[in-house]
Amino acid sequence: MLGWSQELLARNAGVSRQTIVDFERSLRVPIANNLAAIVTALEGAGIEFIPENGGGAGVRFRNPSGSS
């Protein structure tokens, strides 16, 4: 969605690129603080995480007006 490289996501989240690589390959789940940093970086770039609501969890770009 953002077109970010693994390196750019890692830099924006303050984690190692290997953390991103391993997570994408399902080799491991990042520790809680790294996962939170990844989520924060993505949210800061305008990504909104949609919780399970019967239709499935997902992601979308946040509405610029702030309303859903």
Side-chain angles (χ1 to χ4, degrees), residues 33-50:
N33 64 322
N34 285 351
L35 190 55
I38 293 167
V39 169
T40 298
L42 294 171
E43 289 176 336
I47 298 297
E48 180 179 4
F49 291 88
I50 306 164

Side-chain angles (χ1 to χ4, degrees):
M1 290 179 81
L2 294 173
W4 284 6
S5 65
Q6 293 171 337
E7 182 62 39
L8 185 56
L9 175 56
R11 192 174 329 126
N12 284 324
V15 301
S16 73
R17 184 180 152 291
Q18 194 61 50
T19 295
I20 303 300
V21 169
D22 290 350
F23 187 35
E24 286 185 353
R25 292 183 180 164
S26 298
L27 297 177
R28 64 186 173 103
V29 174
I31 59 175
N33 64 322
N34 285 351
L35 190 55
I38 293 167
V39 169
T40 298
L42 294 171
E43 289 176 336
I47 298 297
E48 180 179 4
F49 291 88
I50 306 164
E52 171 66 52
N53 62 1
V59 295
R60 65 179 171 206
F61 281 111
R62 182 176 45 248
N63 185 334
S65 68
S67 61
S68 296

